[in-house]
Amino acid sequence: MSDDNMSISDLLPLVAAALNDQAAADAAKELAVAREERDTSHKVEVLRAINDGDDENEDGETIVYGSALFEDGQYASNTNLWNVTLEQNSNNICRLADLRDCHICVGGGFPMATLDDTDSSNPFFEGWINGEDRRQGISGDACEVSFCFCPHTIWLVILIHGWPREAWEAVIQEDDYDQDDQHVVHFLVENVAEQYPDATVEFKEVTFAIRSIHGALKRLLSSKRKEVVRADRDRRMAERNWQEVVEFVESYLQARGILSEHHQTRMILGILWIKGFKTRTEANDDVILRFIAACEQSPGVFDSDDEREVFTTVMQYFREQSGSDQDDHMEES
């Protein structure tokens, strides 16, 4: 009897540990489910749904072709746009023939745009096949097609695989796939998919106009993520603004036929950068042109081949020629 009691006592810690392990496993599973549900509500997805009004398959599995978390996006090269790169679902490959049944959805399945060109009640959208001058470098030999949807101004980029390059290049060359107001989706589904039944679609990117998604950017991005993407946006905006200044200065110098030496242009740009003229405004343009005119009137400031000496001289020359009114302009900029 005593030996039996001892055996049970010895087992109690093991039973308790097993129960704890099971509780931990159950908790981890619940957490994973909750995280998946949370992520689903934050995703941008391309779903397949046939618009036939039939609810017979309402409990069937949702077909997702591509998706990504909204907050994993970033400001596009045009910082007025928010770009989300989709991850292709390798288990669900979209046939080109099924393109009409695809929808861009958010929040777990709420449609933002549809690729069905046959339903006149759908908001207007247009599409085009991208030639070499418009391709985004993500396509290789696949055909790249872009769509723009109203009224929220959403863009979608897809790749079509299985349509030979020489064939789609010939279509672009002939430029008649949208004749008689034929929609590009109609052409792709009725013509290309019929000729190449094994052709498939890869959904690459969804892009939103910032003006339409301010609330989502504020609420869905974590504080840390906001800090990262805004810093990247501000950096690229500063680079773009400075490039506009560079192009303005270089084009003006070229048009005037003055200060043609590379180090001279670089010195002028260096001084403008140091003095804070990094963006084009009406006031800044006036200061820049007056400074260049002053340098033109006294080209001797660039006589030295020593760039450091030239830099020091031009800095001094800028101080002498700019005057207090230009310093005021600088403060405004």
Side-chain angles (χ1 to χ4, degrees), residues 29-44:
K29 185 177 180 180
E30 291 179 6
L31 182 61
V33 170
R35 183 179 292 113
E36 183 178 353
E37 292 175 348
R38 174 265 181 194
D39 286 351
T40 298
S41 68
H42 285 208
K43 280 184 177 179
V44 178

Side-chain angles (χ1 to χ4, degrees), residues 103-122:
H103 311 268
I104 301 173
C105 299
V106 297
F110 294 96
M112 293 287 291
T114 175
L115 285 159
D116 187 354
D117 64 308
T118 64
D119 188 345
S120 59
S121 66
N122 288 332

Side-chain angles (χ1 to χ4, degrees), residues 9 59 62 113 152 175 201 223 225 232 286 314:
S9 299
D59 293 326
T62 302
H152 300 295
D175 193 26
V201 177
S223 298
R225 181 64 179 156
D232 178 65
D286 179 63
V314 175

Side-chain angles (χ1 to χ4, degrees), residues 77-91:
S77 54
N78 178 348
T79 51
N80 293 313
L81 305 175
W82 181 259
N83 186 68
V84 179
T85 300
L86 301 175
E87 182 178 346
Q88 183 78 12
N89 186 342
S90 59
N91 295 321

Side-chain angles (χ1 to χ4, degrees), residues 126-130 136 144-148 155-158 184:
E126 60 181 339
W128 55 90
I129 301 173
N130 292 332
Q136 301 182 19
E144 182 179 295
V145 182
S146 294
F147 299 94
C148 181
W155 289 267
L156 170 69
V157 176
I158 69 171
V184 67

Side-chain angles (χ1 to χ4, degrees), residues 154-166:
I154 299 172
W155 289 267
L156 170 69
V157 176
I158 69 171
L159 303 183
I160 300 176
H161 301 280
W163 185 13
R165 186 182 183 104
E166 59 272 16

